[in-house]
Amino acid sequence: MKLQILIPQYKETEEVIKPLLDSLAIQQNVDFSEFGVIIVNDGSNIFLSEEFLDLYPFGIEYYKEAHRGVSGTRNACLDHAVADYVMFCDADDMFYNACGLWIIFREISLGVFDSLTSVFIEESRMPETKEVVYINHDMDSTFVHGKVHRRRYLIEKGIRWNEKLTIHEDSFFNIQCANLSQNVKYCQTPFYLWKWRDESVCRHDSKYILKTYKNMIDSNDALIAEFKKKGRPDLGAFYTAFMIFDAYYTMNKPEWINQENIEYRDATEKHFAEYFDRHRKDWERIPSADKMQISQGIRGRSINEGMMMESMTVDEWLKHIEGLLTE
C-alpha cells in the first residue's frame, strides 16, 4: 500500500468526520486499493459504527483504545500503519480538492522522499462580518496539515509525537521531519483544507496565544532535548535562537503590550526565564551572523502580524528576563 491516512478521533461524531471521508471517496484518477484509512478512538464513548465505515470504497481500520491525548493517539495510528507513506489528518478537516491523492501520488512517483510539506488552505471567518475567507498557508511548520511522511523514515529516525505535549504539539513533530533528512520536498499545490469549526477554541478565543504561549515554549524545549538526544546539538542551538527571537518579537505585539493582558505577559516571561536559564549556553555559542539571519526572518513575519517597533534591544530584554529569576 502506498499511503495511509491517520486520523485520531475523540469527540468527533460521524457527522463531523463524514466530510473528510467523503472527500477521500471522490478522489480522481487513483486506485483506491493503493491507500487506506486508520482511525483510532482516543478512549471516548463516541464510536463510529461499522455500517457507517462500510459505506466507503476504500479500506478503513478502526481501533478503540485507551485515552492518551492527541499526541498519543497519533502515535497509536502510526503504530498500526503498514503503508510506504503516512499522512496525519484531523477528523474535522478534509481534502481541498478531488485531485489531492493524485497530487500526493504524483510527488511519490517523481522520486522517494522522506517528508513532504505542501501549501494548505485554512477556512476562516472575518471577525466583524463573519464572511467566509480562505487563507493560503505557505511553508508552514506549525500545523500538521498537508504533510506526508515516509513511514520507514519516521521509524529509522525515531520521530514520534511527544505524548506530554497536547497544545502546540505539531511543531515538535514537524520540525524533526523537516530537519533530520536531506530528502525533503515542498509541494506548491494545496490539497488539504483546515476546516472552520464553531467549537474551535484556537480560532475563537482572541486571547488563545496569550494563554498558550507557555505551551509553545514547552514544545520548543522538548524539541531541543530531542535534537540533542539524536546527536544534533547544532539543530538544538538553532531552534533555541529561533525561540528566543520569536518570544522577543512576540512581546512587541500590541496584545502583549496592552495593560489588560499584563497577567499573561508576566506569567509567560517568568516561564520563558526558566527556559532561557536552561539554554543560555546554546544561545551564547551561536555566531552573531546566524543570530542576525534568524532575527531578520522572524522580525519580518512579526511585522506582518502587527508587531510594533521594538521598545528595547534583544540583549536588554534578555537582561530583564534574567532578573525575573531572582525575584
Side-chain angles (χ1 to χ4, degrees), residues 3 9 11 87 125 144 165 168 175 184 190 204 206 211 232 264 280 287 304 307 313 323:
L3 175 71
Q9 180 230 352
K11 295 183 178 180
M87 177 182 178
R125 300 288 186 273
V144 69
L165 303 174
H168 301 304
I175 290 172
V184 173
H204 284 285
S206 61
K211 294 175 180 177
R232 294 299 306 272
Y264 298 118
R280 187 192 314 266
N304 291 334
M307 184 192 82
T313 67

Side-chain angles (χ1 to χ4, degrees), residues 2 10 20 50-51 73 111 120 132 134 179 195 200 214 222 316 325:
K2 284 186 180 179
Y10 185 49
L20 172 55
E50 187 174 333
E51 291 77 16
T73 305
F120 70 88
V132 176
Y134 290 95
N179 282 275
K195 279 177 57 62
S200 175
K214 292 190 295 183
E316 290 170 340
L325 291 170

Side-chain angles (χ1 to χ4, degrees), residues 236-294:
F238 176 88
Y239 281 100
T240 296
F242 188 95
M243 184 75 255
I244 289 170
F245 281 116
D246 189 88
Y248 166 62
Y249 288 121
T250 291
M251 295 300 153
N252 281 283
K253 293 178 181 177
E255 61 268 29
W256 290 90
I257 296 172
N258 189 329
Q259 283 300 303
E260 76 173 41
N261 296 324
I262 192 66
E263 63 176 297
Y264 298 118
R265 183 186 181 108
D266 287 348
T268 301
E269 284 192 332
K270 288 177 182 177
H271 196 72
F272 181 81
E274 297 171 355
Y275 167 92
F276 182 64
D277 191 51
R278 286 192 295 276
H279 301 294
R280 187 192 314 266
K281 290 183 179 178
D282 286 327
W283 168 254
E284 291 172 347
R285 70 167 58 103
I286 300 172
S288 297
D290 291 350
K291 287 181 180 177
M292 180 69 71
Q293 185 176 7
I294 296 168

Side-chain angles (χ1 to χ4, degrees), residues 32-48:
F32 278 24
S33 69
E34 292 189 325
F35 80 93
V37 171
I38 293 176
I39 304 172
V40 173
N41 178 291
D42 182 23
S44 81
N45 60 0
I46 297 175
F47 301 116
L48 307 179

Side-chain angles (χ1 to χ4, degrees), residues 73-314:
T73 305
R74 286 174 177 155
N75 281 336
C77 288
L78 182 59
D79 290 338
H80 287 297
V82 297
D84 296 333
Y85 290 87
V86 294
M87 177 182 178
F88 294 95
C89 293
D90 287 339
D92 54 356
D93 292 334
M94 63 185 293
F95 270 63
Y96 177 62
N97 57 47
C99 302
L101 286 182
W102 179 86
I103 293 168
I104 295 171
F105 289 162
R106 178 198 62 188
E107 294 293 339
I108 293 172
S109 71
L110 292 174
V112 173
F113 59 81
D114 289 328
S115 191
L116 172 75
T117 294
S118 77
V119 175
F120 70 88
I121 307 298
E122 174 187 357
E123 179 187 353
S124 189
R125 300 288 186 273
M126 296 295 290
E128 300 297 330
T129 65
K130 307 304 179 184
E131 178 187 359
V132 176
V133 292
Y134 290 95
I135 303 166
N136 275 33
H137 284 265
D138 192 16
M139 291 298 287
D140 171 83
S141 65
T142 304
F143 301 100
V144 69
H145 315 321
K147 296 172 178 65
V148 181
H149 312 286
R150 187 170 66 86
R151 187 176 62 87
R152 291 302 308 175
Y153 165 61
L154 301 181
I155 294 172
E156 290 161 4
K157 296 295 184 180
I159 302 173
R160 294 178 65 80
W161 296 85
N162 186 317
E163 301 193 17
K164 294 180 180 180
L165 303 174
T166 56
I167 301 176
H168 301 304
E169 77 286 349
D170 298 27
S171 59
F172 172 87
F173 184 87
N174 296 335
I175 290 172
Q176 288 185 73
C177 292
N179 282 275
L180 293 177
S181 171
Q182 298 298 313
N183 191 10
V184 173
K185 295 181 72 173
Y186 178 67
C187 176
Q188 295 182 337
T189 309
F191 50 78
Y192 190 94
L193 176 64
W194 180 19
K195 279 177 57 62
W196 175 270
R197 278 190 75 190
D198 291 337
E199 298 82 3
S200 175
V201 176
C202 70
R203 292 193 281 186
H204 284 285
D205 188 347
S206 61
K207 297 184 187 293
Y208 179 76
I209 295 299
L210 291 162
K211 294 175 180 177
T212 66
Y213 196 83
K214 292 190 295 183
N215 300 94
M216 203 175 299
I217 295 170
D218 292 340
S219 181
N220 180 272
D221 199 17
L223 176 68
I224 293 166
E226 192 68 19
F227 277 139
K228 290 181 178 179
K229 186 174 77 173
K230 288 181 164 64
R232 294 299 306 272
D234 56 321
L235 290 172
F238 176 88
Y239 281 100
T240 296
F242 188 95
M243 184 75 255
I244 289 170
F245 281 116
D246 189 88
Y248 166 62
Y249 288 121
T250 291
M251 295 300 153
N252 281 283
K253 293 178 181 177
E255 61 268 29
W256 290 90
I257 296 172
N258 189 329
Q259 283 300 303
E260 76 173 41
N261 296 324
I262 192 66
E263 63 176 297
Y264 298 118
R265 183 186 181 108
D266 287 348
T268 301
E269 284 192 332
K270 288 177 182 177
H271 196 72
F272 181 81
E274 297 171 355
Y275 167 92
F276 182 64
D277 191 51
R278 286 192 295 276
H279 301 294
R280 187 192 314 266
K281 290 183 179 178
D282 286 327
W283 168 254
E284 291 172 347
R285 70 167 58 103
I286 300 172
S288 297
D290 291 350
K291 287 181 180 177
M292 180 69 71
Q293 185 176 7
I294 296 168
S295 174
Q296 288 175 345
I298 297 175
R299 187 176 190 274
R301 184 201 71 199
S302 298
I303 288 173
N304 291 334
E305 294 173 350
M307 184 192 82
M308 301 174 71
M309 187 63 68
E310 302 93 306
S311 58
M312 63 179 75
T313 67
V314 65

